[in-house]
Amino acid sequence: MIKSVRFMALVFFAAASSAFANTPPIPPPDPDRLAVAQRLVDALPLEAAVGDGFGSNGIAAEVADNAVAWFAIQSPEDRDENLKSVFYEKVKIESRTRVTAAIGDARASLSSLYARQLSERELMGAETFALTPEGKAFLLVQLSQDVGLRHLVSIFLYQRTFPELPRLLQSSRESSAILKKINRAQ
């Protein structure tokens, strides 16, 4: 019985892997529709919604949480709680400096998504609304509450921050060592 369950799981996995591997790549959106989608996304107040204040702090904390998962698989001598805390804060600080670039990445992703899912007429109507004072106010409220948007920006932000994690860890080691010396001297 157990062997047949394992065999069935293996067959299912192989079939699912084969189907996924044979899926063609998503074609790029129509260039004209993409241009209209980019104008719409440029009109969205993303920086004000997720790049300022509370939004950027939450995004930086999400990136730092992901970085702590990376930290957890580093060498055993790095498993110090003080070092972990210093590393977490350094990642948050570093992340905040890169939020604008990550929002730019999110804009490109949203433009492509909107160009695939909306007609040119729908995109132009949404852009017209987004450019009005009422549209800007409404979109700011909506986008500020959009957890999916914050998560999207945090993914791009983590991708931009990930190459810096070894440097941040080394800097954290140095700072943590200094803090330990200060604490011992007191």
Side-chain angles (χ1 to χ4, degrees):
M1 174 68 181
I2 292 175
K3 285 184 179 180
S4 67
V5 171
R6 285 183 186 166
F7 177 73
M8 290 304 294
L10 186 60
V11 169
F12 176 75
F13 178 73
S17 297
S18 174
F20 184 72
N22 293 328
T23 303
I26 298 172
D30 173 65
D32 293 335
R33 197 179 318 171
L34 181 60
V36 177
Q38 287 170 334
R39 287 197 323 260
L40 165 61
V41 172
D42 287 344
L44 300 178
L46 298 183
E47 286 79 8
V50 297
D52 296 337
F54 178 73
S56 68
N57 286 335
I59 291 168
E62 189 173 337
V63 170
D65 289 341
N66 289 330
V68 166
W70 173 86
F71 173 87
I73 62 170
Q74 300 309 304
S75 65
E77 63 264 8
D78 287 334
R79 305 264 166 78
D80 176 66
E81 283 301 312
N82 290 328
L83 175 58
K84 180 179 168 183
S85 296
V86 170
F87 178 71
Y88 182 86
E89 291 304 320
K90 285 187 180 273
V91 171
K92 279 177 54 177
I93 291 166
E94 181 76 22
S95 295
R96 284 189 201 107
T97 67
R98 298 168 186 260
V99 168
T100 301
I103 289 172
D105 296 339
R107 282 188 187 282
S109 178
L110 290 171
S111 295
S112 181
L113 175 72
Y114 292 170
R116 284 188 179 87
Q117 294 187 352
L118 300 172
S119 70
E120 196 167 329
R121 181 172 179 232
E122 291 167 329
L123 290 165
M124 289 173 25
E127 178 192 12
T128 300
F129 174 70
L131 292 172
T132 66
E134 297 83 4
K136 287 179 185 181
F138 176 79
L139 288 169
L140 181 58
V141 170
Q142 290 295 81
L143 294 172
S144 296
Q145 301 303 314
D146 190 336
V147 176
L149 176 61
R150 281 199 303 259
H151 183 67
L152 177 66
V153 172
S154 78
I155 290 169
F156 287 118
L157 186 55
Y158 185 72
Q159 289 172 349
R160 288 181 167 275
T161 306
F162 185 79
E164 299 298 321
L165 294 183
R167 178 185 60 79
L168 293 171
L169 179 56
Q170 182 58 38
S171 175
S172 298
R173 286 181 188 127
E174 294 164 6
S175 297
S176 184
I178 292 169
L179 289 172
K180 283 180 183 178
K181 287 180 184 177
I182 292 170
N183 288 336
R184 272 189 245 136
Q186 292 179 353

